[in-house]
Amino acid sequence: MTQSNVLGSALVTGASSGIGAVYADRLAARGHALILAARDEARLNTLAAKLRAEHGVTVEVIRADLTAAADVAALEAKIAADPNISLVVNNAGAALMGAFLDNSPEKIDELIRLNVTSVARLTHAAAKAFVPRGRGTIVNISSVVGIAHEYGASVYGATKAFVTYLTQAVAHETAGTGVKLQAVLPGATRTEIWERSGRKVEDLDPDRTMDVDELVDAALAGLDKGELITIPSLPDPADWAGYQAARAVLLPNISKAHPAERYGVRKLVEA
Ligand SMILES: NC(=O)c1ccc[n+]([C@@H]2O[C@H](COP(=O)([O-])OP(=O)(O)OC[C@H]3O[C@@H](n4cnc5c(N)ncnc54)[C@H](OP(=O)(O)O)[C@@H]3O)[C@@H](O)[C@H]2O)c1
């Protein structure tokens, strides 16, 4: 049995550049067979040829525009039909810069279809396939912007808040099934996403911007450690645990029969 039969195939969306292309390289080096999806088929084919030559793995290329429902459905069908797929990396994504009031309705809609709808549907397809098998891994590439509304990327940040929440919620729901989930929350990382959304990567603070290789290597180390949430630059994971603990304090009081007394509208309880 070859290494790729043992590990299964990894489906990586947005593998034509940046974070996705490095995931493809690292997963091939680990011995995974690959299924690479993105819009730029020529670029995917070039990467596929390189990875086949360097790592001796099988690489399939699928042209997919993940803002298009039919292309998302084709990937859902692939995940459902191919029992060899053991890992899905939902990485494809884009950013939308500028003030919320300056964003066009069309751009907002397109971003949500890519960053939210496709991730929800492919996470769903993977979970439906993996849970009955009692194994499988889903990695969703989110962003620290999803926990930092102060950073001024309203719709982009909201899409990433969705990705982190979805990953946490599905991990909670599927706990004990053997299926593993991870949300990766990169900070600024040197990839094409900046140019594609109208910003120069050279204009970023170099002390706060990570190289893509280090980012992916840390994310995979986090996966190997069994982390549900990986923030590659965060020195102390206790800080994330503290954030969760503060949230947990709210939980007993966020759904009750009556408003809190401070609103002055509480019905008088009969003696
Ligand atoms: N770089 C950062 O600073 C940073 C920080 C936090 C999170 N992230 C997240 O990391 C992920 C990867 O981004 P990146 O930084 O590596 O940027 P990137 O180099 O621009 O890569 C984006 C990838 O997504 C694909 N893609 C874009 N639109 C698509 C569409 N409509 N359908 C299918 N694929 C599409 C692109 O391929 P095609 O053009 O060939 O379709 C490309 O492979 C994204 O989810 C992003 O939000 C990045």
Side-chain angles (χ1 to χ4, degrees):
M1 199 178 255
T2 65
Q3 177 82 332
S4 59
N5 292 136
V6 177
L7 292 173
S9 307
L11 167 62
V12 183
T13 69
S16 62
S17 69
I19 294 170
V22 177
Y23 262 102
D25 175 71
R26 300 305 194 265
L27 294 172
R30 287 181 176 208
H32 278 281
L34 295 175
I35 302 162
L36 307 180
R39 292 167 303 178
D40 190 333
E41 201 172 2
R43 234 174 151 183
L44 289 177
N45 280 325
T46 303
L47 177 64
K50 178 175 173 282
L51 297 179
R52 285 184 201 112
E54 287 178 0
H55 303 292
V57 295
T58 306
V59 187
E60 183 181 350
V61 162
I62 299 179
R63 202 213 70 84
D65 179 349
L66 294 177
T67 65
D71 288 7
V72 177
L75 286 185
E76 286 173 324
K78 174 86 183 161
I79 293 167
D82 185 347
N84 199 42
I85 296 176
S86 61
L87 169 61
V88 172
V89 182
N90 285 305
N91 162 77
L96 182 58
M97 299 296 175
F100 182 56
L101 297 189
D102 296 332
N103 294 155
S104 72
E106 294 75 20
K107 284 284 173 199
I108 292 171
D109 182 64
E110 186 182 314
L111 192 78
I112 291 171
R113 276 184 278 132
L114 176 61
N115 287 12
V116 171
T117 307
S118 81
V119 175
R121 287 182 55 171
L122 297 181
T123 298
H124 181 254
K128 293 272 279 186
F130 294 164
V131 168
R133 283 182 225 151
R135 63 192 153 82
T137 301
I138 303 168
V139 175
N140 290 334
I141 308 301
S142 183
S143 168
V144 291
V145 179
I147 56 166
H149 60 269
E150 301 87 345
Y151 284 9
S154 50
V155 184
Y156 176 69
T159 67
K160 294 303 183 176
F162 177 95
V163 173
T164 301
Y165 182 109
L166 180 77
T167 311
Q168 290 170 304
V170 177
H172 184 75
E173 189 177 320
T174 60
T177 63
V179 176
K180 207 166 149 181
L181 283 104
Q182 181 197 29
V184 179
L185 280 60
T189 308
R190 281 182 202 86
T191 69
E192 291 173 21
I193 200 169
W194 298 94
E195 299 280 350
R196 288 181 197 246
S197 57
R199 283 193 64 182
K200 286 200 172 80
V201 79
E202 303 83 50
D203 293 345
L204 302 173
D205 179 350
D207 292 334
R208 293 181 174 274
T209 308
M210 197 175 284
D211 277 336
V212 65
D213 295 87
E214 283 188 47
L215 181 277
V216 174
D217 288 336
L220 283 168
L223 181 67
D224 293 342
K225 282 175 190 282
E227 289 184 353
L228 170 59
I229 302 291
T230 296
I231 303 179
S233 63
L234 189 71
D236 189 352
D239 290 344
W240 177 263
Y243 179 51
Q244 294 305 309
R247 195 182 59 82
V249 170
L250 299 174
L251 296 186
N253 290 315
I254 57 176
S255 181
K256 291 197 153 189
H258 301 290
E261 275 187 26
R262 66 202 160 91
Y263 295 113
V265 293
R266 190 168 182 156
K267 283 184 194 155
L268 286 176
V269 181
E270 289 190 33

